[in-house]
Amino acid sequence: MGASAGGDRPDPLPLAGVRVVEFVHMVMGPTCGLILADLGAEVIKVEPVAGDNTRRLAGAGAGFFVAFNRNKKSLAVDVKSAEGRAVVARLLAGADVVTENFRPGAMARLGLDYEGVRALRPDVVYCSLKGFMPGPYEHRPALDEVVQMMGGLAYMTGPPGRPLRAGSSVNDIMGGTFAVIAILAALRERDATGRGQRVGSALFETNVLLVAQHMMQYAVLGTAPEPMPNRISAWAIYDVFDTRDGEQLFVGVVTDTQWKVFCDHFGLDDLYADPTLRTNPMRVAARPRLLPAVRELFAGRTQAELIGACESIGLPYAPITRPEELFDDPHLNAPGGMLDITIPGNGGTRVPALPLELSGRRPGLRLDVPRLGEHSEALLRELGYGDDAIADLAARGIVALDPQGTP
């Protein structure tokens, strides 16, 4: 499909001219490459001739590949063969950045760890995205679930005794984002010194940063934080409420000013006049008697009526939305908010753009989600391989070429 809003920018994107070679799968590594690619870098995804296994995930993983691999090129090559590694060596000699998120030691066994790549490109920025940063746990395998369980996030999310992972790959996505920050910092340093370096990010440390607010609650108050469903809220009205039409709505009243407009709009003069509810800490202490009254009030109104009320008086609110409903969200469908992509072999759809602006515009689509080996032939030619050599490598399964031809 064609490029959507942002893809025809008249000005070059900030990372134009930066070549990134990624050896990644699943979510964390691809997220890093996605952000770099959306910001203008040429990101080349090196994947096996049979394809990145992420392409074939089912269930909750079925959307991983199309969500995190737009704006990239696909080079399908057997890096376990000597000839495949020779192809990759030529590619790496021109790489500004290399990223990898395989198990510890996997890249070293292929000669593609930092030392191996630095021998080909001395000023390379080499980023490893792992489960753990250096320390006693660094050789452990990790998953988002693993670090959520051991890092306190699952404990805080679920009700007491029922740890529950967050409903998204939060550490993978944020870990990939922190990797981008490290890469950009290293590129900035290389501009000043001419030297590359090895950088990294990790799932566990990302998770612990997310939980730091709860750690600091303990440090400040000396009491252990309660899981979110059982916690004492920081605000009196900060909850999900049932409405008359069987829907639900989250509403927050988080300042004394909002408390006044809330009471004024809904005719709660007696509550506003109550001296025991004058300040937010007082209202938090009074939640056992305050919340039932608010629940009864909201249960007599439809969700639409409450949304209109909250909108008119400036209260934070949110309907409880399912992921599939977001495709029709009018705000997301404002110009630049969603990008038109093609699911290889399965037609077109839209995917959220990066949540950032550059000169008032969202980064758009320059390259669709790549078909397996879609760019192998063009990249091999660029690396100096002729027709006969390319045909021979393909015939022997060293590389895979896109059967639909390179556009």
Side-chain angles (χ1 to χ4, degrees):
M1 301 181 74
S4 54
D8 56 349
R9 294 175 61 94
D11 51 322
L13 288 161
L15 296 185
V18 174
R19 172 168 276 193
V20 179
V21 178
E22 64 172 30
F23 300 85
V24 300
H25 63 158
M26 298 297 281
V27 176
M28 190 186 189
T31 296
C32 174
L34 166 72
I35 297 170
L36 296 171
D38 276 14
L39 294 178
E42 179 192 24
V43 177
I44 300 169
K45 179 179 182 62
V46 177
E47 54 183 318
V49 292
D52 177 353
N53 284 333
T54 311
R55 290 180 179 270
R56 296 179 288 275
L57 290 177
F64 288 178
F65 192 86
V66 293
F68 302 110
N69 284 286
R70 66 177 177 266
N71 283 333
K72 300 179 184 181
K73 298 178 179 179
S74 169
L75 171 63
V77 56
D78 178 10
V79 296
K80 295 181 180 179
S81 69
E83 289 162 290
R85 286 194 298 276
V87 170
V88 169
R90 293 195 193 188
L91 181 66
L92 293 174
D96 296 292
V97 178
V98 173
T99 66
E100 63 89 13
N101 74 324
F102 288 96
R103 291 184 63 160
M107 297 298 283
R109 288 191 291 273
L110 296 169
L112 298 175
D113 57 354
Y114 176 51
E115 295 303 328
V117 174
R118 188 169 64 166
L120 300 167
R121 176 69 188 252
D123 64 349
V124 72
V125 173
Y126 189 102
C127 182
S128 293
L129 301 92
K130 299 300 184 184
F132 304 92
M133 301 194 88
Y137 303 156
E138 65 183 293
H139 297 295
R140 290 187 189 179
L143 301 167
D144 212 317
E145 268 93 347
V146 167
V147 301
Q148 288 192 40
M149 297 294 170
M150 67 184 294
L153 184 57
Y155 172 83
M156 290 303 300
T157 303
R162 293 177 55 198
L164 181 67
R165 68 153 287 165
S168 176
S169 303
V170 290
N171 294 301
D172 279 305
I173 294 169
M174 287 196 63
T177 303
F178 280 114
V180 172
I181 295 171
I183 289 167
L184 296 180
L187 288 173
R188 179 72 178 87
E189 186 171 337
R190 189 176 76 173
D191 287 343
T193 66
R195 295 190 298 272
Q197 59 181 289
R198 184 184 184 279
V199 299
S201 68
L203 293 173
F204 180 59
E205 283 76 6
T206 295
N207 182 92
V208 172
L209 180 63
L210 291 175
V211 179
Q213 65 195 76
H214 303 303
M215 296 170 64
M216 293 305 100
Q217 176 188 335
Y218 177 76
V220 171
L221 299 178
T223 55
E226 291 283 344
M228 298 295 278
N230 201 45
R231 78 198 190 290
I232 298 176
S233 173
W235 299 281
I237 300 175
Y238 194 80
D239 217 323
V240 175
F241 299 91
D242 295 326
T243 63
R244 190 179 72 200
D245 50 351
E247 299 293 334
Q248 292 183 308
L249 190 73
F250 171 85
V251 177
V253 179
V254 299
T255 68
D256 292 339
T257 300
Q258 288 180 358
W259 172 243
K260 183 179 189 308
V261 298
F262 171 75
C263 291
D264 287 347
H265 182 86
F266 288 105
L268 303 175
D269 297 340
D270 55 335
L271 291 180
Y272 188 71
D274 187 337
T276 67
L277 301 176
R278 183 62 59 194
T279 67
N280 181 67
M282 291 177 172
R283 293 191 293 275
V284 169
R287 273 172 64 92
R289 65 182 174 90
L290 181 58
L291 277 182
V294 176
R295 292 193 188 284
E296 181 179 1
L297 172 72
F298 283 3
R301 290 166 169 79
T302 67
Q303 185 192 70
E305 289 171 341
L306 290 170
I307 287 175
C310 291
E311 186 78 27
S312 67
I313 61 178
L315 288 185
Y317 71 91
I320 310 305
T321 303
R322 296 186 295 271
E324 65 271 18
E325 296 173 328
L326 293 173
F327 286 104
D328 298 318
D329 186 283
H331 186 82
L332 293 177
N333 281 290
M338 299 282 276
L339 307 178
D340 294 317
I341 62 168
T342 305
I343 302 172
N346 198 28
T349 188
R350 288 166 294 144
V351 68
L354 287 188
L356 55 84
E357 284 186 336
L358 300 169
S359 299
R361 300 182 69 183
R362 303 279 288 276
L365 189 73
R366 295 176 291 111
L367 295 172
D368 211 334
V369 178
R371 300 183 298 271
L372 174 62
E374 180 174 346
H375 307 91
S376 294
E377 184 174 350
L379 288 167
L380 287 167
R381 291 187 187 283
E382 180 186 326
L383 295 173
Y385 290 88
D387 290 347
D388 291 343
I390 293 172
D392 178 62
L393 290 170
R396 292 187 292 119
I398 305 300
V399 302
L401 306 181
D402 178 15
Q404 299 185 39
T406 304

